[in-house]
Amino acid sequence: MITVSNVSLRYGDRKLFEDVNIKFTPGNCYGLIGANGAGKSTFLKILSGEIEAQTGDVSMGPNERLAVLKQNHFEYEEEEVMKVVIMGHKKLYDIMLEKDAIYMKEDFSDEDGIRAAELEGEFADLNGWEAESEAAILLKGLGIGEELHNKKMAELTGSEKVKVLLAQALFGKPDVLLLDEPTNHLDLQAIQWLEEFLINFENTVIVVSHDRHFLNKVCTHIADLDFGKIKIYVGNYDFWYESSQLALKLSQEANKKKEEKIKELQNFIARFSANASKSKQATSRKKLLDKISLEDIQPSSRRYPYVNFTQDREVGNDLLRVENLTKSIDGEQLLNNVSFIMNKGDKIAIVGRNELAKTTLFKILAGELEADSGSYKWGVTTSQAYFPKDNSEYFEGCDLTLVDWLRQYSPQDDSESFLRGFLGRMLFSGEEVLKKASVLSGGEKVRCMLSKMMLSGANVLLLDEPTNHLDLESITALNNGLTSYKGSMIFASHDHQFVQTIANRIIEITPQGVVDKMMTYDEYLENKELQAQIEEMYK
């Protein structure tokens, strides 16, 4: 358990936290959420002791151990992978070093023998004899094969280093586990393995993540950082979001009878309980949900952008025909005879291991890149709006204010009041609309690009990783906006929930061509897993 008492932190006039009092208890996984800049990562650093709060203190039980996912991927370049993982349990690793140093002495004394015996006892108490096998299991689960276990970290790729540092944090069954964006740079298999690990983890977990599917799978509670305070809510991210929206609705209907409100709350909880999976995490969450009262849910002060795509004209039946597109860049073949026909109502998710291949397809369909061979043809009734993965060319060196930047893309050359209002709905309020486009943050640039697309009135959207750089609130708003969009789209995203809730068709780009399935993302993953199991059986 970890207890936070009266913790406060300010930077100049900016208050991050004030008199935070909270307990994180064993057996629970807490998703720490808050708007960008609210101080989520800073709060984790206070919990870990990396940053000292100005008031208050953080305490743990006697002999309890805390582990943190480290962000410096180059910290252990000269160390072997296996050793780096075991370093996650500092006391055990220090014992191993001291023990090895004693045994390597040429003039081994009686005192050395006594000390070695003491160390052997401590080593056994800490399950030292199982250390290497536990580390190997963690590495294998995250996709780091045995051939890499004795290599130096410098020999690994960036994504492999991330996995090793994650294994380091998980090693040795820490009493409290702090994870800041643990799914970043992980492949789908590693994320699924981590989800199962955390679901079955019996101690305390506090995690910051923009991956809503991950938060929904692993979290028993949400710790909401708002106005310098942290409030704990039972349930996963979706439960928190929908309960806060329900609370907002109920508070706006102040005259509604309390009995009706209670019934609405009961129906809401029952729906979430019924949708829970059979995992240990979901079962314990259901028991907690059943105890919630009307007073336990509160409206959130979060601001969500208003994302609403409309079509200026309805599209006909002939949308897009792609035939045998082939493209190589720097000698690497990215697209190999890619062919498909897009139909009215299709919301196609482009998936595949090769990120550059997906981006190359989007650039070709948007007219920004020529294929080596093959062709594509848009239907005469279509109009396209494109969201590129790299939007820097739209903003670098641009001296225009946001109002003037957006005016470039407004078909009606709308008035300043209209553009200000439009930007306001995308969370650029007051004087913010007079900022230079060149100084925007990554998330602000994405919101501007989405504004540009909404003004276009296009009936086909091309979106290459639109959730990058967005906070949870903006991802949720974009997700809802695209789910309700009446037009057609082709998109790519690493956000599992985003793909699952929007796509009705999956196209996987492979070195041999495409795999084209009319199904949801979860169905596609289940189908792919089943196929892999069958192939394994017949090897």
Side-chain angles (χ1 to χ4, degrees):
M1 181 170 72
I2 187 164
T3 303
V4 179
S5 305
N6 300 315
V7 162
S8 301
L9 182 68
R10 285 177 175 267
Y11 287 125
D13 295 332
R14 186 170 171 238
K15 176 181 71 177
L16 278 184
F17 323 113
E18 188 166 36
D19 296 329
V20 172
N21 292 280
I22 195 169
K23 282 185 180 179
F24 299 100
T25 55
N28 292 322
C29 178
Y30 299 85
L32 180 61
I33 65 171
N36 278 355
K40 300 183 292 295
S41 296
T42 302
F43 186 72
L44 288 189
K45 289 177 180 177
I46 289 175
L47 295 181
S48 70
E50 186 178 339
I51 292 177
E52 191 172 333
Q54 286 155 341
T55 66
D57 60 77
V58 175
S59 61
M60 292 172 57
N63 301 317
E64 287 191 340
R65 187 171 68 85
L66 179 144
V68 182
L69 173 59
K70 296 195 175 179
Q71 302 296 328
N72 183 358
H73 303 162
F74 303 100
E75 186 174 348
Y76 303 100
E77 291 293 86
E78 295 306 311
E79 302 288 350
E80 290 181 2
V81 167
M82 183 65 75
K83 283 186 180 179
V84 171
V85 175
I86 298 174
M87 283 178 188
H89 195 323
K90 187 176 186 304
K91 184 177 180 181
L92 174 62
Y93 186 69
D94 288 346
I95 288 171
M96 290 173 68
L97 289 181
E98 187 179 352
K99 190 160 65 83
D100 290 346
I102 290 174
Y103 287 139
M104 289 181 69
K105 281 186 173 183
E106 292 183 5
D107 52 343
F108 192 86
S109 65
D110 290 342
E111 289 78 9
D112 289 331
I114 294 169
R115 180 58 182 157
E118 291 173 352
L119 291 171
E120 290 290 2
E122 293 181 52
F123 183 73
D125 289 342
L126 295 173
N127 292 319
W129 297 112
E130 283 79 46
E132 289 200 4
S133 62
E134 182 192 339
I137 289 169
L138 292 172
L139 289 167
K140 183 181 177 183
L142 289 166
I144 302 295
E146 288 184 22
E147 70 280 2
L148 298 177
H149 293 186
N150 295 315
K151 288 188 178 294
K152 289 189 175 181
M153 290 286 281
E155 299 177 70
L156 271 57
T157 66
S159 61
E160 288 169 342
K161 290 175 184 177
V162 170
K163 291 178 178 180
V164 174
L165 292 180
L166 181 53
Q168 181 192 71
L170 303 179
F171 176 76
K173 300 179 180 63
D175 299 286
V176 177
L177 181 57
L178 306 182
L179 301 173
D180 193 354
E181 297 291 354
T183 62
N184 280 4
H185 310 294
L186 293 188
D187 52 59
L188 182 64
Q189 289 74 22
I191 292 173
Q192 290 175 331
W193 180 90
L194 177 60
E195 287 171 352
E196 287 303 313
F197 181 93
L198 295 179
I199 284 169
N200 293 295
F201 189 73
E202 295 178 349
N203 295 331
T204 306
V205 182
I206 306 169
V207 59
V208 172
S209 177
H210 283 89
D211 186 330
R212 295 166 301 157
H213 181 267
F214 180 76
L215 292 177
N216 284 331
K217 285 278 283 186
V218 305
C219 291
T220 58
H221 296 73
I222 293 296
D224 182 25
L225 174 52
D226 207 0
F227 290 122
K229 301 288 186 182
I230 297 179
K231 184 171 175 60
I232 298 287
Y233 295 90
V234 172
N236 59 18
Y237 177 78
D238 274 356
F239 186 85
W240 170 84
Y241 171 72
E242 294 204 27
S243 65
S244 69
Q245 296 300 300
L246 174 63
L248 182 62
K249 176 188 169 188
L250 295 179
S251 68
Q252 291 169 345
E253 299 171 355
N255 296 325
K256 195 173 182 182
K257 291 180 181 177
K258 187 169 183 178
E259 292 78 10
E260 292 180 38
K261 291 183 179 181
I262 291 172
K263 187 175 181 181
E264 194 164 355
L265 173 63
Q266 288 171 337
N267 291 338
F268 170 70
I269 292 172
R271 177 166 59 82
F272 262 87
S273 296
N275 288 340
S277 68
K278 295 179 181 178
S279 70
K280 286 168 57 180
Q281 208 81 324
T283 304
S284 63
R285 187 159 54 231
K286 181 185 183 305
K287 292 175 183 175
L288 294 168
L289 291 181
D290 290 337
K291 299 176 183 177
I292 290 178
S293 69
L294 190 63
E295 288 71 30
D296 290 329
I297 65 172
Q298 298 178 2
S300 170
S301 66
R302 291 287 202 292
R303 296 170 64 218
Y304 292 81
Y306 177 69
V307 179
N308 182 39
F309 295 93
T310 57
Q311 311 171 79
D312 285 346
R313 69 181 288 191
E314 190 170 343
V315 74
N317 291 321
D318 186 18
L319 270 74
L320 172 66
R321 181 180 292 272
V322 177
E323 293 183 340
N324 301 318
L325 280 185
T326 300
K327 180 67 178 178
S328 295
I329 295 179
D330 296 332
E332 179 187 1
Q333 186 172 59
L334 300 171
L335 304 177
N336 180 17
N337 290 322
V338 171
S339 299
F340 63 91
I341 295 172
M342 185 179 189
N343 304 305
K344 185 176 180 180
D346 278 350
K347 293 186 175 181
I348 301 172
I350 303 294
V351 302
R353 289 181 176 273
N354 193 320
E355 299 297 314
L356 184 54
K358 290 183 282 187
T359 293
T360 299
L361 177 61
F362 279 105
K363 285 185 174 181
I364 291 172
L365 296 181
E368 292 193 353
L369 196 63
E370 283 192 18
D372 296 335
S373 62
S375 64
Y376 70 94
K377 184 178 181 182
W378 288 103
V380 293
T381 61
T382 63
S383 56
Q384 306 89 42
Y386 172 48
F387 182 99
K389 189 173 184 176
D390 180 6
N391 57 39
S392 56
E393 66 178 276
Y394 292 87
F395 300 97
E396 282 181 1
C398 181
D399 285 331
L400 297 175
T401 64
L402 294 195
V403 172
D404 291 331
W405 183 91
L406 190 59
R407 183 177 282 116
Q408 301 174 96
Y409 307 107
S410 179
Q412 290 83 30
D413 191 24
D414 288 300
S415 66
E416 179 150 338
S417 60
F418 170 83
L419 294 170
R420 277 176 169 266
F422 197 93
L423 287 166
R425 292 194 295 274
M426 293 301 285
L427 306 185
F428 296 105
S429 56
E431 297 303 304
E432 284 186 315
V433 300
L434 300 178
K435 283 201 299 191
K436 300 287 187 186
S438 57
V439 301
L440 298 179
S441 68
E444 288 173 330
K445 289 175 182 176
V446 171
R447 281 187 273 130
C448 281
M449 292 299 293
L450 294 173
S451 300
K452 167 183 175 292
M453 294 180 74
M454 284 188 277
L455 282 176
S456 72
N459 53 28
V460 181
L461 305 180
L462 299 171
L463 302 122
D464 188 6
E465 298 290 350
T467 58
N468 286 358
H469 308 294
L470 290 182
D471 56 23
L472 279 169
E473 292 72 45
S474 297
I475 292 172
T476 302
L478 176 59
N479 198 155
N480 293 341
L482 291 177
T483 302
S484 60
Y485 175 59
K486 303 301 182 188
S488 301
M489 71 179 79
I490 304 175
F491 70 99
S493 175
H494 284 95
D495 188 307
H496 185 123
Q497 187 165 339
F498 192 81
V499 180
Q500 168 61 18
T501 53
I502 295 171
N504 57 16
R505 181 177 173 186
I506 309 294
I507 293 181
E508 179 184 3
I509 297 179
T510 75
Q512 291 75 39
V514 299
V515 177
D516 191 346
K517 301 286 186 182
M518 287 295 299
M519 56 178 58
T520 68
Y521 188 48
D522 282 346
E523 289 169 340
Y524 158 79
L525 292 176
E526 288 171 13
N527 188 276
K528 196 174 175 68
E529 186 177 348
L530 180 62
Q531 188 177 354
Q533 289 171 354
I534 292 171
E535 289 174 358
E536 186 68 27
M537 285 172 58
Y538 287 97
K539 272 187 178 178

